Amino acid sequence: MSAWVPPRYAHHVPPRPGGVEQARVAIVGGGLVGLTAALDLARRGIASVLLDEDDTLSTGSRAICFSQRTLEIMGRLGIGQRFLDKGITWNRGRVFFRDREAYSFDLLPESGHEYPAFVNLQQYYAEQWLIEACEASGLVDLRWGSRVTGVVPRADGAALEVETRSGPYRLDAEWVLACDGVHSKVRRALDLPFTGQVFDDRFLIADVRMQADFPSERWFWFDPPFHPGQSVLLHKQPDDLWRIDFQLGRDADPEAEREPERVRARVAAMLGEGVAFDLDWVSVYTFRCRRLERFRHGRVLFLGDAAHQVSPFGARGGNGGVQDADNLCWKLAIVLQGEAPERLLDSYDAERIPAADENIRHSSRATDFITPKGSACRAYRDAVLELARDLPLARPFVNSGRLSQPAVLRDSPLNGPDEAPRAAPPGTACPDAPILRDGQPDWLLRQFGQGFLLLAREAHPVKMEGLRTVELRDSPRPGALHDHSGLAAARLGLAPGECALVRPDQHIAARFATTAPDPILAALRRARSL
Amino acid sequence: MSAWVPPRYAHHVPPRPGGVEQARVAIVGGGLVGLTAALDLARRGIASVLLDEDDTLSTGSRAICFSQRTLEIMGRLGIGQRFLDKGITWNRGRVFFRDREAYSFDLLPESGHEYPAFVNLQQYYAEQWLIEACEASGLVDLRWGSRVTGVVPRADGAALEVETRSGPYRLDAEWVLACDGVHSKVRRALDLPFTGQVFDDRFLIADVRMQADFPSERWFWFDPPFHPGQSVLLHKQPDDLWRIDFQLGRDADPEAEREPERVRARVAAMLGEGVAFDLDWVSVYTFRCRRLERFRHGRVLFLGDAAHQVSPFGARGGNGGVQDADNLCWKLAIVLQGEAPERLLDSYDAERIPAADENIRHSSRATDFITPKGSACRAYRDAVLELARDLPLARPFVNSGRLSQPAVLRDSPLNGPDEAPRAAPPGTACPDAPILRDGQPDWLLRQFGQGFLLLAREAHPVKMEGLRTVELRDSPRPGALHDHSGLAAARLGLAPGECALVRPDQHIAARFATTAPDPILAALRRARSL
Amino acid sequence: MKLRRDPNLSDPDALYAALMEAHRGLDEAASRRLDAKLVLLLANHIGDEAVLKEALDLARGTVPGQDAAPATD
Amino acid sequence: MKLRRDPNLSDPDALYAALMEAHRGLDEAASRRLDAKLVLLLANHIGDEAVLKEALDLARGTVPGQDAAPATD
């Protein structure tokens, strides 16, 4: 299979170079997160202008592992199936220590989900599909070759200085979503501190093209014979590509390590003699774990790597950024639509800062485990790995990356009561489940749409203003979803007569023991900061 | 107070130099253990010849700590009061770590014993009193200046080659008790392996004469500022003498360390400036923990250091040797008196080898704790000491010597039934307790004499052949002991109507729920190997 | 009682992180003492000599794992 | 549950000796792994995070002993 050639997009030509334009929402950065935000707003009827300094997609595998929650979000945005069709589905991980397997694990042993635990996919495919969907929506003004060179925040928005090949112009936006990555120009323009822990180890990513019969699993080696003293991670991607991450240690020379012959030698040592391969992409990186103190700064909101940076272990960068967009866009949409006050956006900080901290915590811990510093850290690390083969109790300590899970927004100010606490407390992303609709197999989350929702089991709530009702029934009934397997009720922890208020981002806002409307309407108001 | 001047004893002059003499029992070695054995045999009416190459007492404090069990044995032998009158009684130990106290402990918090947990006393006093008692008995032929140069074992005894100033002679003995110490000539003559663990650390003993106001306690320093990295032990003795043990480490030069000025400097660093003191005795030593494979070799029996060597931590050398004599002499006496078969002496091995192993185990562990080798041993040692001050749980781990406790002869073949198991199972040295005899305060163990004994509570056993009966009563009764405090019954665990068979060495041989004579007489036969 | 061989902690990552944090910045000897203290404190808490012996044997690798099946969970 | 602060072992000397014996002959790294394994095995056995935190605090010396009285027993 020949190498994929990325599309080139036409540079934006401002109609009045040197002039001033207006936008309700400007999104800075057309990567995974910015494009997701643009499409999510579009799905809610909100138009946006997206500015990206480049004119093509990202290169290399990058955010390779797309988590179930990200896939569900992409499903809500209408492009989930493309990930399933193209991506490499995997649920199993294997951990090796020195010359033997320490153990293996299943990420999602349970069936009954539309999406698997993870699919592997080069980031550029995801970006391409998002762009196509944004273009098809008619609500996203994609401006390529548009570099933001200045940001002046104002009470009612921000003024962006934009440079293009055809000249500069000013874009006055009511809202700015900064999705411009770890080196965010918006963040720097606002001179916001971006602080945290520095890790010294260098890593090498090699995207390798070859015919190989490794299974669709995540393989992680601690201290393998072919790369002694360091770690190696192997992932399968579509198009006969394999992503390999080599830990290089602290003293590695990044220039030398990027040399193709050196990389080829490392890969050959791993694959063994006689395995033909091509290098598709190579990168040497270090990383930090850090974040902004707040993600909302008036009318400027930071998403993804622009707001927080994590280590790559755990696939928490891309997936975390997509969840930022998922969290923010419905709020911004109903604020713009006059259905909620502006202070609703403060909940973006209240919800996504703990989520970012969780991602940073998990990825920092994984980094500490993978690159132990000092004799105690190494002793514990190796002790765990030596015990893990024979003793199940040691396996939970093995940390080759805690793979991204949807954040549970436990302490959100938007959460309402939990009248019947069982599974899925307020703040949880609603679990998917198989259902029958009119006798046809379908999935629960597909029924949710883009608005607030009351999900009731074995009950028929009265009609409430601004709230769609979905009934879950244990037996077929017209107009209701048939929970034929019982999985929906079980995963949601809904007893007959109970119901749950679900937010536009599919998170549970409150749980009720009955369908009495007053507490439900109160929770709905709370979830909109009314 | 002026220094004590040891007596000199007249060298033995053999009546027929070059000739042959006979003895039923020859004891080789007139130190603490040999003298105890000679006196114990004499108390049982058995005459012995005691050979000692020297003509005086031992020098220095040596076996300084005399345990409660040893004192009880000396009490049985009639000289216990001298230890109480002269010795320094102490029950409390203090442990210091670096510059502060880690904790302190009471060895015998309970009252109601004739003898305290320990008295401190220079060994030569004990030897002197034993010699006086041996001489007074008229049954011990004390031969000073008599060196054993050869031992030829025979089926019916052993031939000893003895050298004196006045010439050699041969002593044909039916039984030989080798009490000639760690460098035993008898053991070497029989070419018996004496194996075990070697410890490399050197220690310095200094007996220091001074006026000081340290209390009568055992003080142990780990890593003190005045002797960094090493341990120091301080004990008070009579006559304003203080015994100080300095750990010197593995690389110490024994000759240099014995130099008085060097010793004085060490002591001065410990006591501080301006404390006047004299050095009374100095010794530099190393030690091993080892023993003979068996202590009985036909008609030759080994006792004390000749049989087993322990580290000095725990006062298990001298006290262990005295218990050897206590264990052996009644057996040898009744064998010689025709009341038991010779095989009874096999129980000396069966009982005292486990006791020696217990002493070796405890003293080896203490040595490992006091002189940790390797980073793990030191880490645990210091961890324990750091925790001990605040956490009671850590204190049982602190091991500055596990101070000598009487061995419990649990698995002895002489033990009979334990019909009413409570406190003091068979094999235990009978605990002392206060009693009233004819209304006068006295002690339980004082009532035991030198033979077998049946101790009954609230019962009147029938008269049995070869068995004296002692009745313990809860209220005064003529001819019975009044257990007025209840301590005797409590410590023995005797319920009304129950009784215990006590051996001549005051160890409990069997326990009975009733005073029915048949099982008691069966146990008495068993205790004599009949 | 037997030593638990199944995972028995609600948040093993938090414990592991707390252990690493406790060792951070200690010199080698202090770090060793910390582990020694932990072993002693936890062993005393458990108190059951059979459990402790089993743990010691497993830590030394002198007892084969009872999990003879392929190591998966 | 609280961490036991009272002596709770029937034979602490035997445990201590077994620990020393287990470390005997190990090189430094193996000796450290042995302690680490013990900590993890015992911690998992206990399972109670509050107890483990208390042990960790005590081992670090970050909590004053609750035994404010003179340290005697």
XYZ file of all heavy atoms in Angstrom, chain A residues 409-461:
403
model
N -17.632 13.922 36.611
C -17.663 15.315 37.088
C -18.356 15.351 38.446
O -19.400 15.997 38.630
C -18.398 16.182 36.059
C -17.953 15.954 34.605
C -18.888 16.664 33.629
C -16.512 16.384 34.403
N -17.742 14.674 39.390
C -18.381 14.423 40.680
C -18.841 15.691 41.391
O -19.917 15.750 41.955
C -17.390 13.707 41.606
C -17.469 12.219 41.529
C -16.397 11.592 42.418
N -15.576 10.676 41.635
C -15.973 9.484 41.232
N -17.173 9.048 41.520
N -15.191 8.704 40.511
N -17.964 16.676 41.408
C -18.224 17.844 42.255
C -18.728 19.034 41.449
O -18.594 20.185 41.876
C -16.950 18.213 43.021
C -16.497 17.054 43.887
O -17.372 16.420 44.512
O -15.286 16.775 43.928
N -19.293 18.755 40.305
C -19.739 19.858 39.460
C -20.872 20.639 40.116
O -21.806 20.051 40.678
C -20.225 19.310 38.120
O -20.896 20.337 37.420
N -20.820 21.955 40.001
C -21.930 22.770 40.523
C -23.211 22.570 39.716
O -24.285 22.971 40.173
C -21.416 24.209 40.370
C -20.370 24.133 39.302
C -19.748 22.780 39.431
N -23.121 21.953 38.548
C -24.310 21.726 37.735
C -25.067 20.480 38.178
O -26.210 20.277 37.773
C -23.935 21.590 36.260
C -23.125 22.735 35.632
C -23.016 22.528 34.122
C -23.744 24.093 35.939
N -24.411 19.635 38.977
C -25.064 18.380 39.363
C -26.251 18.636 40.270
O -26.185 19.448 41.184
C -24.087 17.459 40.099
C -23.060 16.852 39.152
O -23.217 16.919 37.930
N -22.018 16.266 39.720
N -27.312 17.909 40.022
C -28.485 17.960 40.858
C -28.501 16.804 41.833
O -27.468 16.182 42.103
N -29.666 16.507 42.384
C -29.752 15.469 43.422
C -29.478 14.077 42.874
O -29.554 13.824 41.677
C -31.199 15.584 43.900
C -31.930 16.194 42.762
C -30.966 17.118 42.082
N -29.118 13.202 43.794
C -28.966 11.779 43.488
C -29.925 11.046 44.403
O -29.553 10.486 45.422
C -27.504 11.370 43.743
C -27.214 9.974 43.220
O -28.116 9.370 42.591
O -26.093 9.487 43.441
N -31.184 11.074 44.010
C -32.221 10.559 44.910
C -32.156 9.053 45.082
O -32.624 8.528 46.087
C -33.615 10.942 44.393
C -33.913 12.425 44.504
C -35.328 12.742 44.012
O -36.075 11.803 43.671
O -35.668 13.941 43.960
N -31.612 8.362 44.101
C -31.568 6.899 44.169
C -30.164 6.451 43.787
O -29.929 5.962 42.699
C -32.611 6.301 43.203
N -29.213 6.627 44.691
C -27.819 6.378 44.315
C -27.566 4.891 44.041
O -27.796 4.060 44.896
C -27.019 6.837 45.547
C -27.986 7.487 46.466
C -29.356 7.011 46.086
N -27.172 4.615 42.853
C -26.749 3.246 42.520
C -25.567 3.395 41.579
O -24.557 3.985 41.963
C -27.909 2.481 41.865
C -29.009 2.146 42.865
C -29.959 1.093 42.307
N -31.152 1.052 43.160
C -32.221 1.834 43.006
N -32.275 2.678 41.991
N -33.241 1.746 43.836
N -25.642 2.833 40.395
C -24.584 3.047 39.403
C -24.724 4.465 38.851
O -25.718 5.153 39.093
C -24.725 2.009 38.292
N -23.709 4.910 38.104
C -23.783 6.129 37.304
C -24.295 7.336 38.081
O -25.367 7.876 37.785
C -24.653 5.887 36.058
N -23.560 7.800 39.081
C -23.987 8.983 39.833
C -23.912 10.241 38.961
O -23.300 10.223 37.893
C -22.969 9.058 40.968
C -21.751 8.386 40.437
C -22.264 7.283 39.538
N -24.549 11.332 39.417
C -24.467 12.587 38.660
C -23.010 12.956 38.373
O -22.147 12.822 39.230
C -25.133 13.594 39.608
C -26.120 12.776 40.376
C -25.449 11.446 40.574
N -22.778 13.397 37.130
C -21.420 13.702 36.705
C -20.839 12.638 35.800
O -19.816 12.873 35.136
N -21.466 11.477 35.757
C -20.973 10.377 34.930
C -21.430 10.560 33.485
O -22.574 10.925 33.245
C -21.561 9.037 35.436
O -21.404 8.972 36.837
C -20.883 7.859 34.762
N -20.542 10.247 32.545
C -20.983 10.143 31.157
C -21.893 8.931 31.064
O -21.541 7.839 31.527
C -19.778 9.972 30.233
N -23.052 9.136 30.507
C -24.043 8.059 30.475
C -23.483 6.850 29.742
O -22.983 6.974 28.623
C -25.312 8.563 29.781
S -26.615 7.326 29.756
N -23.533 5.670 30.342
C -23.040 4.484 29.638
C -23.972 4.108 28.494
O -25.186 4.283 28.580
C -23.045 3.409 30.726
C -24.010 3.878 31.755
C -24.016 5.378 31.700
N -23.371 3.595 27.452
C -24.159 3.117 26.319
C -24.721 1.743 26.656
O -24.299 1.096 27.627
C -23.262 3.037 25.064
C -24.088 3.053 23.774
O -25.330 3.189 23.842
O -23.475 2.930 22.695
N -25.685 1.313 25.859
C -26.247 -0.027 26.034
C -27.040 -0.350 24.771
O -27.529 0.552 24.091
C -27.150 -0.085 27.268
N -27.171 -1.620 24.484
C -28.002 -1.992 23.330
C -29.490 -1.859 23.713
O -29.863 -2.147 24.843
C -27.631 -3.456 23.086
C -27.138 -3.954 24.408
C -26.554 -2.781 25.130
N -30.276 -1.391 22.768
C -31.732 -1.335 22.979
C -32.410 -1.750 21.672
O -31.750 -1.909 20.636
C -32.210 0.076 23.404
C -31.614 1.167 22.501
C -31.828 0.383 24.848
C -32.434 1.521 21.334
N -33.711 -1.962 21.763
C -34.504 -2.155 20.543
C -35.403 -0.944 20.385
O -36.081 -0.525 21.337
C -35.356 -3.427 20.652
C -34.607 -4.758 20.774
C -35.622 -5.912 20.879
C -33.668 -4.980 19.593
N -35.413 -0.404 19.161
C -36.341 0.698 18.867
C -37.263 0.226 17.760
O -36.770 -0.144 16.687
C -35.579 1.949 18.438
C -36.497 3.162 18.408
C -35.763 4.432 18.070
N -35.191 4.353 16.725
C -34.648 5.380 16.091
N -34.595 6.561 16.673
N -34.154 5.233 14.887
N -38.526 0.185 18.059
C -39.492 -0.385 17.121
C -39.051 -1.780 16.707
O -39.121 -2.150 15.523
C -39.637 0.511 15.879
C -40.063 1.924 16.252
O -40.754 2.077 17.292
O -39.677 2.861 15.537
N -38.494 -2.513 17.654
C -38.093 -3.887 17.387
C -36.748 -4.025 16.705
O -36.265 -5.142 16.521
N -36.136 -2.899 16.349
C -34.856 -2.963 15.642
C -33.709 -2.692 16.610
O -33.802 -1.789 17.441
C -34.800 -1.899 14.531
C -35.844 -2.084 13.463
C -35.722 -3.437 12.772
O -34.634 -3.816 12.323
N -36.818 -4.201 12.721
N -32.592 -3.449 16.482
C -31.447 -3.214 17.376
C -30.873 -1.821 17.157
O -30.686 -1.388 16.009
C -30.430 -4.282 16.961
C -31.179 -5.264 16.140
C -32.349 -4.535 15.529
N -30.592 -1.147 18.207
C -29.983 0.186 18.123
C -29.201 0.398 19.418
O -29.060 -0.527 20.223
C -31.071 1.256 17.933
C -30.540 2.467 17.149
O -29.325 2.768 17.276
O -31.345 3.097 16.446
N -28.677 1.594 19.585
C -27.875 1.889 20.774
C -28.499 3.029 21.552
O -29.036 3.969 20.968
C -26.426 2.251 20.392
C -25.736 1.119 19.698
C -25.565 0.976 18.367
C -25.168 -0.039 20.318
N -24.916 -0.205 18.088
C -24.647 -0.847 19.281
C -25.050 -0.475 21.638
C -24.015 -2.064 19.527
C -24.411 -1.679 21.879
C -23.905 -2.463 20.833
N -28.353 2.972 22.844
C -28.992 3.950 23.712
C -28.534 5.371 23.396
O -29.353 6.288 23.237
C -28.695 3.608 25.185
C -29.267 4.574 26.216
C -30.789 4.566 26.175
C -28.786 4.218 27.634
N -27.196 5.573 23.327
C -26.687 6.940 23.186
C -27.111 7.569 21.858
O -27.190 8.794 21.749
C -25.157 6.963 23.313
C -24.581 6.602 24.687
C -23.057 6.720 24.673
C -25.166 7.503 25.782
N -27.375 6.756 20.860
C -27.828 7.287 19.580
C -29.191 7.975 19.678
O -29.576 8.708 18.774
C -27.992 6.146 18.569
C -26.704 5.653 17.953
C -27.059 4.522 16.981
N -25.893 4.019 16.299
C -25.693 4.173 14.991
N -26.587 4.794 14.247
N -24.600 3.690 14.432
N -29.927 7.681 20.749
C -31.278 8.226 20.877
C -31.294 9.583 21.564
O -32.344 10.174 21.748
C -32.157 7.256 21.698
C -31.986 5.801 21.356
C -32.138 5.525 19.860
O -33.032 6.081 19.206
N -31.247 4.706 19.308
N -30.091 10.085 21.956
C -30.079 11.204 22.886
C -30.193 12.579 22.224
O -30.631 13.535 22.845
C -28.812 11.172 23.743
C -28.875 10.200 24.894
C -29.871 9.221 24.961
C -27.952 10.252 25.914
C -29.918 8.324 26.018
C -27.999 9.357 26.970
C -28.980 8.389 27.025
N -29.755 12.705 20.972
C -29.810 14.018 20.321
C -28.825 14.989 20.947
O -27.841 14.584 21.567
N -29.084 16.315 20.790
C -28.140 17.325 21.250
C -28.651 18.131 22.433
O -27.979 19.058 22.879
C -27.794 18.291 20.095
C -27.348 17.626 18.802
C -25.969 16.981 18.860
O -25.244 17.137 19.836
N -25.628 16.242 17.804
N -29.851 17.801 22.950
C -30.405 18.620 24.024
C -30.482 17.905 25.361
O -29.958 16.801 25.524
N -31.090 18.567 26.347
C -31.349 17.919 27.633
C -32.392 16.829 27.444
O -33.263 16.913 26.568
C -31.847 18.938 28.657
C -30.749 19.736 29.293
C -30.432 21.007 28.819
C -30.023 19.215 30.359
C -29.434 21.752 29.406
C -29.018 19.964 30.945
C -28.707 21.230 30.473
N -32.329 15.842 28.317
C -33.096 14.631 28.121
C -33.473 14.058 29.470
O -32.671 14.072 30.402
C -32.182 13.642 27.388
C -32.727 12.301 26.989
C -33.303 12.432 25.573
C -31.601 11.287 26.998
N -34.696 13.540 29.581
C -35.059 12.790 30.778
C -35.221 11.338 30.381
O -36.038 11.004 29.530
C -36.364 13.317 31.381
C -36.663 12.739 32.766
C -35.654 13.236 33.798
C -38.081 13.099 33.196
N -34.401 10.503 31.007
C -34.396 9.083 30.692
C -35.097 8.372 31.845
O -34.614 8.376 32.978
C -32.943 8.612 30.558
C -32.681 7.223 30.018
C -33.199 7.082 28.580
C -31.182 6.938 30.062
N -36.272 7.784 31.539
C -37.081 7.189 32.610
C -37.243 5.704 32.359
O -37.340 5.258 31.217
C -38.451 7.859 32.660
N -37.236 4.941 33.433
C -37.464 3.494 33.286
C -38.853 3.156 33.810
O -39.203 3.499 34.941
C -36.419 2.714 34.071
C -36.652 1.202 33.954
C -35.595 0.372 34.622
N -36.008 -1.035 34.579
C -35.597 -1.977 35.441
N -34.757 -1.655 36.405
N -36.036 -3.201 35.322
N -39.602 2.456 32.960
C -40.936 1.987 33.364
C -41.748 3.129 33.967
O -42.320 3.005 35.046
C -40.820 0.815 34.350
C -40.287 -0.456 33.742
C -41.220 -1.036 32.685
O -42.446 -1.036 32.914
O -40.733 -1.448 31.611
N -41.727 4.259 33.273
C -42.492 5.410 33.750
C -42.817 6.277 32.550
O -42.159 6.179 31.499
C -41.686 6.206 34.780
N -43.815 7.095 32.708
C -44.229 7.977 31.620
C -44.320 9.393 32.183
O -45.377 9.845 32.613
C -45.583 7.526 31.058
C -45.999 8.340 29.874
N -45.380 8.234 28.641
C -46.966 9.274 29.739
C -45.943 9.067 27.809
N -46.919 9.727 28.440
N -43.187 10.089 32.200
C -43.185 11.432 32.808
C -44.097 12.374 32.040
O -44.301 12.211 30.837
C -41.723 11.876 32.672
C -40.946 10.647 32.317
C -41.885 9.730 31.630
